Amino acid sequence: MRHFFLLAALLFTLPALAQQPLPVPRNLQATYAKGTRAETGLPGPNYWQNTADYDLAVTFDPVSRRVAGTVAIAYQNNSPDSLRQLWFKLYPNFYQKGAPRARTIAPEDIGEGVKITALSINGAAFDLKKLTINGTNMVVPLSRAISARQAATVKVAYSYTLNKGSHTRTGEVEPGAAFVAYFFPRIAVYDDIDGWNRLPYTGDQEFYNDFCNFKAAITVPKNFVVWATGDLKNADQVLTKKYAQRLRGAEQKDAVAAIISAEDAQRRDITAPNAQNTWRFEARNVTDFVFATSDHYVWQSTSLVVDPATKRRTRVDAVYNPKHKDYEEVIDFSRKTVEAMSYTFPKWPFPYAHETVFDGLDQMEYPMMVNDNPTETRFDAITLTDHEIFHTMFPFYMGINETKYGWMDEGWATIGEWMISSIIDPTVEDDYGIKPYAQAAATEVDVPITTLTTLQNGTAMFLNSYAKPGMGYLYVKDLLGDELFTKAMHTYIRNWNGKHPMPYDFFNSMNAGAGRNLNWFWQRWFFDAGYPDLAIANVTKTAAGYDIQVQAKGSKPVPVDLTVTFADNTTQKLHRTIAVWETGATSVTVPVATKQPVKQVTLGSTLVPDSFPKDNVWEGK
C-alpha cells in the first residue's frame, strides 16, 4: 500500500564490532532451538506451516451492498501442536459498531458487522452462542482438538453489508462498481513464532494470511462483470461469445486489446442474459482472494511472456470508468511494470497468470489484483501503478507477516517503485519518502526500522515501512552491484517463497547469497538510531588535481555522490558506495584528477537523504 504520506549522532563503532551478530529477540531465537528456522537463512529441518482449501460461494447485490455466502474450509494442521481452538479473521468487522479502529469512519458505515448464521466442524453443528467475536477476531473452541498433522473441515454461512463510504481498501466505489476484499471468514495463521495470529485488524497495519487454494463462485446481477484473484473458469458461460473470444485472444497477444470498450459497456450485451450470473474462479497457493465488479467499466488487456524458459505468459488488465482519462495509460504502465519485474528487477518471472488494476478508491494490493484510485498527474499514475503491482513479490509471493513487519514488504515496493518508474518513463525522478526521512531522522518519532509495525503509527510507521527500508535495500544493491545483489535477493526468494519469512530469515539469506557478512550495515541501518548527514569537510589542491574530503557527521551510512563543476562549466560526477563506511571510518577522501580549476563541489543525490545539507556545497575562490 502506498498511503502514508532522538538522539545525538552516534559515531561509528570500532571496526572489530562491525561483524557482530545481529540482536535476535528471545522469541525468535526459539525458532532456531526448535529447528523451524536456521541461522543460515534457510527454513529449518522442522519448518512447517498450515494451509487450507477454501470453497467460496457468495452472492453480491450491488444495490443493497449485501454480501452473503458460505465458505467450506478443508484445514490442514501441519504443526506439531494439538489445536484446541480455531481463530478466525472477520476483516469486515473493521466497520462493526464498537470494534477497535485506528481510523475514523463515517457513522453511516458503522454496522452490525459479519453475521454468522451457521457453523459446523467435521459435520457437527456448532452452538453459535459459544462464539467469541471481538472486532476482527473470532474464536471457536473445539470439543475435539485437531491433532498434530491432522485435518478438519469447517463450514460457515455468513453475511454482511459492504461499506458505501469510508473506503478502506474495500467498499463501493460508485453506483455500479465495487471492490470487495476480505469478504469471507478465514482461519487465522497459526505459526512457529506466535502460535495463533491474535493481532486485530484496526485499519493501519496490513495483513498476514496462510498460503491456501481457493475456488470461488461469485454471483452478481446481469451486466455486472467480475474480476478476481485466480483464473476465470467459465468465461463462455458468463460472457457472451464476442467478449469471451476477446479475452482468450488477449491472453496470447502482446498488443493492447479492448475487451470491453466504452461503447460496448453502453450496449449492455457483455454478460449472459440471465438475471444472475455465477462467475467461477480458481487460485492455488495464494494468501488471499478478492473480487471487483462493475456494470459500466471498460476493460483493456494485453499479455507478455514473463518466463522465456517456459514461454509462460501473464495477462495484464486495466479496468476503469471511461470518464477517468488518467487511467488510459495505466495498461501501458502495468505491462511495463510486469515486464520490468520479470527481466530487470527483481528479475524473477512474474509468478501469476494475470494482474488486474481496478479503478477504485484506494492504493492497495492483493494477489493478482490492485485497487488504485484515479490520480491527478501522470507521475502519480506511474509511481502508484508500479508500486502496487510490485507487491506481487513482497508480500504475496513471499508470505510476509505485514502486520508485524511492514518494512519487509513496503520497503521492497518502494525500491521497486524507484527503479521501475524510470524504466516506464526515463524523465521520472521519484524521491518518495527521502525528504521526510531527512527531516525526521533522529527525532522522537524516528524509531528503528525493526520496531514492530504494531507499535507504530503516523510518521514513524511511514518512515519505517517505506522510505528507510527502501533506501537500505537500495544501498546494499549499490554496494554489491546488480549481479551479486540479484544473486543474494534470489537466494532469499528461493529460500522463502510460499513460506513465512521473519526478519532474520531475510538478513541471513541475503548474507548467504552475497557470500559476505553484511551485518555491519543491517545493524546500523535497520537497528540503530541516528541520522544521515554528510558534509564537505575540505577541498585541497594536489599535484594531480584535487582531494575532496567528505565527513560523516551522522551515523547512518549513505553513499557519497559528488558533482564537480570546473572552470569551463563542465561537470564530473563521482560516486562511492556505503563500502567506504564499513570499517568504521568517519571520513573519506575522493580524488579528482584534473588540470582545470574546480569552481564548485556539490554533495548529494536524489535518493540519498541528508538531515543537515547546508554544508554540502563548496565554492572555489
Side-chain angles (χ1 to χ4, degrees):
M1 188 177 188
R2 193 181 187 271
H3 214 67
F4 297 99
F5 287 100
L6 214 193
L7 295 168
L10 300 175
L11 293 179
F12 292 138
T13 55
L14 295 173
L17 297 179
Q19 303 305 335
Q20 289 293 310
L22 296 175
V24 183
R26 284 187 298 153
N27 61 314
L28 301 187
Q29 289 180 28
T31 65
Y32 300 144
K34 291 184 293 188
T36 56
R37 297 163 196 262
E39 292 175 281
T40 60
L42 288 164
N46 298 328
Y47 180 80
W48 56 268
Q49 64 191 51
N50 292 350
T51 186
D53 291 336
Y54 282 79
D55 195 342
L56 307 169
V58 61
T59 298
F60 175 61
D61 180 355
V63 177
S64 67
R65 307 188 314 283
R66 185 172 187 265
V67 178
T70 60
V71 53
I73 309 170
Y75 183 70
Q76 179 64 44
N77 176 21
N78 291 321
S79 81
D81 306 323
S82 184
L83 303 179
R84 299 190 174 277
Q85 55 184 206
L86 288 175
W87 281 65
F88 284 75
K89 294 297 181 184
L90 303 180
Y91 290 128
N93 278 2
F94 173 75
Y95 293 95
Q96 184 185 46
K97 183 179 180 179
R101 279 183 293 274
R103 299 183 181 193
T104 302
I105 62 175
E108 57 268 27
D109 277 323
I110 298 176
E112 297 179 3
V114 179
K115 296 180 182 179
I116 304 295
T117 54
L119 190 153
S120 67
I121 300 171
N122 292 328
F126 183 85
D127 183 356
L128 300 182
K129 294 178 181 178
K130 295 181 179 180
L131 287 178
T132 300
I133 299 177
N134 183 11
T136 57
N137 285 335
M138 179 174 78
V139 185
V140 179
L142 301 177
S143 57
R144 184 173 182 177
I146 305 173
S147 300
R149 299 175 181 85
Q150 297 298 309
T153 300
V154 181
K155 294 183 179 179
V156 186
Y158 70 100
S159 65
Y160 74 96
T161 300
L162 184 71
N163 51 300
K164 182 178 179 62
S166 307
H167 193 108
T168 301
R169 304 183 173 104
T170 183
E172 182 181 84
V173 177
E174 60 192 29
F179 196 98
V180 188
Y182 327 116
F183 65 92
F184 58 93
R186 73 192 72 198
I187 297 178
V189 173
Y190 184 86
D191 68 16
D192 63 316
I193 296 174
D194 297 316
W196 289 111
N197 172 22
R198 301 167 187 245
L199 296 169
Y201 168 57
T202 60
D204 278 357
Q205 292 81 21
E206 295 183 18
F207 303 93
Y208 182 36
N209 297 310
D210 273 320
F211 284 90
C212 298
N213 300 323
F214 292 89
K215 289 183 179 180
I218 302 165
T219 301
V220 293
K222 178 178 65 175
N223 297 321
F224 277 83
V225 179
V226 177
W227 299 267
T229 302
D231 300 323
L232 177 61
K233 292 298 184 178
N234 65 334
D236 290 329
Q237 283 74 52
V238 292
L239 293 170
T240 54
K241 184 176 180 180
K242 174 171 62 174
Y243 300 101
Q245 288 177 337
R246 289 181 183 177
L247 176 58
R248 284 192 292 270
E251 291 173 343
Q252 300 301 321
K253 296 178 181 178
D254 290 349
V256 174
I259 297 177
I260 301 173
S261 68
E263 294 75 18
D264 294 328
Q266 292 176 352
R267 277 197 293 270
R268 318 289 277 183
D269 66 344
I270 297 161
T271 70
N274 310 309
Q276 301 279 321
N277 289 307
T278 299
W279 299 65
R280 299 184 183 278
F281 296 86
E282 292 184 13
R284 298 190 62 80
N285 202 36
V286 294
T287 58
D288 203 355
F289 188 98
V290 302
F291 73 91
T293 186
S294 175
D295 67 350
H296 60 280
Y297 275 20
V298 301
W299 181 0
Q300 292 179 305
S301 189
T302 181
S303 68
L304 66 154
V305 173
V306 295
D307 188 346
T310 63
K311 304 300 181 185
R312 181 172 61 81
R313 301 181 76 91
T314 288
R315 191 188 80 236
V316 182
D317 302 324
V319 178
Y320 58 96
N321 187 325
K323 293 181 180 179
H324 296 155
K325 300 301 182 184
D326 60 291
Y327 243 91
E328 291 178 352
E329 282 191 279
V330 166
I331 187 65
D332 180 52
F333 303 155
S334 302
R335 179 192 171 89
K336 288 180 177 177
T337 299
V338 171
E339 182 177 42
M341 288 176 64
S342 300
Y343 295 100
T344 306
F345 186 81
K347 206 172 183 179
W348 190 275
F350 196 82
Y352 302 125
H354 80 82
E355 181 71 22
T356 301
V357 181
F358 188 84
D359 179 3
L361 291 175
D362 214 307
Q363 304 179 343
M364 188 64 195
E365 68 281 354
Y366 310 83
M368 308 180 213
M369 297 285 288
V370 167
N371 175 8
D372 274 355
N373 57 259
T375 58
E376 294 185 1
T377 68
R378 188 172 185 269
F379 173 92
D380 288 338
I382 291 172
T383 56
L384 174 58
T385 300
D386 57 28
H387 182 105
E388 302 307 339
I389 293 177
F390 200 88
H391 275 301
T392 297
M393 292 297 295
F394 312 91
F396 301 126
Y397 193 60
M398 300 299 292
I400 291 161
N401 185 345
E402 301 173 83
T403 308
K404 290 173 63 175
Y405 314 124
W407 59 272
M408 291 181 70
D409 82 300
E410 293 295 354
W412 282 109
T414 300
I415 181 179
E417 172 190 330
W418 291 335
M419 296 192 62
I420 294 175
S421 294
S422 61
I423 294 174
I424 294 173
D425 183 343
T427 67
V428 169
E429 189 174 50
D430 185 6
D431 62 351
Y432 182 59
I434 302 296
K435 291 179 181 178
Y437 172 53
Q439 293 167 353
T443 66
E444 289 180 311
V445 300
D446 183 28
V447 295
I449 294 172
T450 51
T451 305
L452 289 180
T453 308
T454 51
L455 303 179
Q456 304 176 53
N457 56 32
T459 299
M461 185 172 171
F462 166 66
L463 295 178
N464 283 330
S465 295
Y466 295 81
K468 287 169 66 179
M471 285 181 272
Y473 305 146
L474 184 68
Y475 300 159
V476 171
K477 180 178 182 295
D478 184 42
L479 168 70
L480 298 178
D482 289 350
E483 184 176 350
L484 186 55
F485 181 81
T486 299
K487 179 183 176 184
M489 179 172 49
H490 285 189
T491 299
Y492 170 48
I493 294 172
R494 280 192 298 270
N495 285 352
W496 288 98
N497 81 80
K499 302 180 180 67
H500 294 311
M502 67 178 185
Y504 300 87
D505 300 324
F506 162 71
F507 294 130
N508 294 331
S509 290
M510 291 292 289
N511 287 354
R516 58 188 291 185
N517 193 327
L518 299 168
N519 285 355
W520 72 272
F521 180 74
W522 305 135
Q523 178 72 50
R524 296 179 192 176
W525 194 264
F526 287 81
F527 292 83
D528 291 350
Y531 59 91
D533 180 25
L534 300 182
I536 299 175
N538 199 11
V539 178
T540 306
K541 186 75 175 72
T542 67
Y546 292 81
D547 280 345
I548 304 170
Q549 185 184 17
V550 176
Q551 182 182 358
K553 290 187 172 181
S555 59
K556 289 295 185 184
V558 295
V560 176
D561 288 287
L562 295 165
T563 301
V564 181
T565 303
F566 300 104
D568 63 357
N569 289 324
T570 60
T571 60
Q572 180 181 356
K573 292 186 179 296
L574 303 168
H575 176 74
R576 296 293 185 272
T577 75
I578 55 172
V580 297
W581 313 118
E582 182 172 359
T583 63
T586 57
S587 68
V588 60
T589 298
V590 181
V592 182
T594 179
K595 295 182 179 179
Q596 280 203 70
V598 169
K599 185 166 66 174
Q600 185 185 75
V601 179
T602 303
L603 173 65
S605 62
T606 302
L607 295 177
V608 177
D610 195 308
S611 293
F612 299 97
K614 290 184 178 180
D615 47 14
N616 287 8
V617 178
W618 175 87
E619 301 284 353
K621 296 179 181 179

